[in-house]
Amino acid sequence: MSEPLEICDLMLRDGHQSLLATRMRTDDMLPIAEAIDRVGFWAVEMWGGATFDSAMRFLDENPWERIRRLKARMPNTPFMMLLRGQNVVGYHHYPDDVLDRFVVHAHANGIDVFRIFDALNDVRNMRKAMAVVNREGAHAQASICYTTGPPYSIDYFVDVATRLADMGADSICIKDMAGLITPYAAYELVRRLEEAVGLPIHLHSHSTSGMATTALLKAVEAGVDIVDTAISALSLTTSHPPTESIVAMLKDRERDTGLDLGLLAEISGYFGRIRRKYASFESGMFGVDVRVLRYQIPGGMLSNLVSQLREQGAEDKYEAVLREVPQVRADLGYPPLVTPSSQLVGTQATLNVVLGERYKVIPEEVRQYVRGYYGRPPAPIDPEVKRMAIGDEDPIDCRPADLIPPGLDDAREAVAELLGDPEPAEEDVISYALFPQVAGPFLERRAQGGDGREPAVAAVAGLLLKRAEEQAADGRSRDGSGPSPWKVGWRPGQGRWTGLIPGT
């Protein structure tokens, strides 16, 4: 294979989510945004995951504003977000109407690639999200959550990926949240997926165990199309392999990325200085921790766990909680540890340790998981844990969202009453529908004082609308009436995002 390896950089989302508890402010991204735009990344992941509620909860920022402000300075770089399937960007399942309008609004604001996953690899929970992304003409990257344990094998992951391809995926991501994939497993899985699904394959891995950089290189040998990296100043430990290292390793080789190391060094230098501002949110990990192969906690979860235990004065319980995590995971049917299952397992493990008795307290979210309201676990739940959680109840066996009534109209009424505005902005309604307890106070604060950015935001939104109208007039409409550049721009032999960016 002689195509250049494509790079997706995670510095603006998973890099700081994994290392700095998702605390990086938009204002600290903007000064370097134009330089990032010149690199030529396949895409930059800059939204989704924990960034949405963290923006309102901790930063007092409108999460939608981040897309618009960055897009104004990065018009040539495709934006990617992490979409938790039916969980959207939250921690439980939402109604179909909320998911639908979220995707529509995110795409209209500038999100081009939607990386979609389900925490249990239950493809039923990804179907609606993929359908809406397809309908809107964006790029639907369907993910398989990679993990290890009794239910999992190469055949298991190939089977899941094949079903996702049949559901309309534009590419397949191997999402290794905790850095568990070994170099040889990466080679074999990529090779099998390339043979089985006929779609571009994208590898995402964390550096926690120390294997991710080598795993990426073996995946390159197997023909992987795209890999995730993070600029070096926001790389390694619980984050990802350094972008510059991968670029340098492949320079003058068959899969040479063609990216400029000098420009990347400039970007890294900037984030090296910015990172010092967030030192209080560092996870405390400064090297490889192979214990992750036992407890399988993803990078972002490790960072947040340390922060939460520190706030509660319970840092001395950290090691005990880590040991308890794999036990709880086995009890609950070996779910991959990714949001929201990682939160469920982590919370239950913490309670088991802090209270000194296993399952003395079971949170309602864990009970709902056992009832089937998060989907179908990969393996059976321990019968005794099931009994303690829900007694003799029978778990549901349908797609959980089929039981959830529409929620957007109720959210619209609540926001209208909250703000005294009979026609509230759709983005505010969506934010409230997803996180009422966080968005409500945020919207009230903004209404009472604001942050002085709304005129600029309106101007950027107007510019984006104008660009969309111009593209539609050009015949490059995203309304689904013709082939979408997000569907075809990545295909081998057709160049980088051919037809999407004028002049390419």
Side-chain angles (χ1 to χ4, degrees), residues 10-303:
L10 314 181
M11 67 186 102
L12 299 184
R13 206 283 299 177
D14 206 8
H16 71 92
Q17 180 171 318
S18 296
L19 295 173
L20 308 173
T22 328
R23 293 307 205 276
M24 190 177 291
R25 301 185 64 84
T26 305
D27 282 345
D28 286 329
M29 303 175 186
L30 290 172
I32 199 66
E34 291 175 5
I36 298 171
D37 196 40
R38 296 198 303 271
V39 174
F41 290 119
W42 181 83
V44 167
E45 187 199 39
M46 47 66 64
W47 210 59
T51 63
F52 194 93
D53 66 304
S54 292
M56 296 183 289
R57 190 189 305 268
F58 302 120
L59 309 180
D60 211 28
E61 291 184 2
N62 179 356
W64 302 98
E65 184 180 332
R66 178 171 294 182
I67 311 176
R68 296 190 287 260
R69 297 180 75 198
L70 284 170
K71 181 58 75 174
R73 299 196 187 191
M74 299 174 63
N76 301 310
T77 301
F79 280 0
M80 183 173 79
M81 75 157 292
L82 184 66
L83 184 66
R84 298 166 176 165
Q86 204 69 35
N87 294 307
V88 196
V89 287
Y91 306 96
H92 59 81
H93 283 208
Y94 291 94
D96 284 342
D97 65 334
V98 174
L99 169 61
D100 189 305
R101 296 311 300 172
F102 177 90
V103 171
V104 169
H105 202 68
H107 182 49
N109 274 273
I111 298 298
D112 306 298
V113 182
F114 291 79
R115 175 175 289 173
I116 304 164
F117 76 93
D118 177 69
L120 302 180
N121 285 324
D122 187 340
V123 300
R124 300 175 303 170
N125 296 331
M126 300 168 67
R127 182 173 290 114
K128 176 65 175 180
M130 291 174 65
V132 177
V133 171
N134 285 333
R135 185 192 72 205
E136 294 303 305
H139 183 104
Q141 183 174 92
S143 301
I144 51 176
C145 292
Y146 183 88
T147 188
T148 59
Y152 304 102
S153 65
I154 296 293
D155 287 341
Y156 167 91
F157 294 118
V158 171
D159 176 66
V160 174
T162 301
R163 283 184 280 158
L164 293 172
D166 291 341
M167 287 166 53
D170 294 311
S171 59
I172 298 292
C173 177
I174 304 165
K175 182 174 168 57
D176 174 25
M177 307 77 59
L180 301 175
I181 198 165
T182 68
Y184 294 105
Y187 181 94
E188 180 64 16
L189 181 53
V190 168
R191 187 184 62 81
R192 289 280 304 278
L193 289 174
E194 291 278 3
E195 294 172 352
V197 301
L199 294 172
I201 306 301
H202 192 150
L203 177 58
H204 167 101
S205 185
H206 287 255
S207 297
T208 319
S209 70
M211 298 189 293
T213 300
T214 310
L216 261 58
L217 284 176
K218 288 298 291 184
V220 170
E221 292 180 8
V224 75
D225 299 278
I226 315 155
V227 297
D228 278 351
T229 60
I231 204 71
S232 57
L234 294 171
S235 69
L236 298 177
T237 57
T238 54
S239 183
H240 308 272
T243 301
E244 301 97 306
S245 301
I246 297 298
V247 169
M249 289 174 188
L250 297 176
K251 188 171 177 58
D252 298 325
R253 295 293 182 179
E254 189 177 43
R255 304 293 305 280
D256 191 335
T257 65
L259 302 188
D260 183 345
L261 277 170
L263 180 54
L264 293 172
E266 175 190 341
I267 296 166
S268 182
Y270 172 82
F271 280 113
R273 296 187 295 274
I274 288 296
R275 182 171 175 176
R276 299 182 196 128
K277 294 173 58 174
Y278 299 94
S280 63
F281 299 107
E282 296 273 4
S283 69
M285 292 183 63
F286 299 103
V288 167
D289 188 345
V290 294
R291 292 173 303 171
V292 72
L293 300 176
R294 292 186 57 202
Y295 52 70
Q296 302 194 355
I297 298 178
M301 181 180 172
L302 273 176
S303 176

Side-chain angles (χ1 to χ4, degrees), residues 119-120 147 152 296 328-330 332-338 341 345 369 378:
L120 302 180
T147 188
Y152 304 102
Q296 302 194 355
V328 172
R329 178 175 178 255
L332 297 181
Y334 292 96
L337 290 185
V338 62
S341 58
V345 171
Y369 170 91

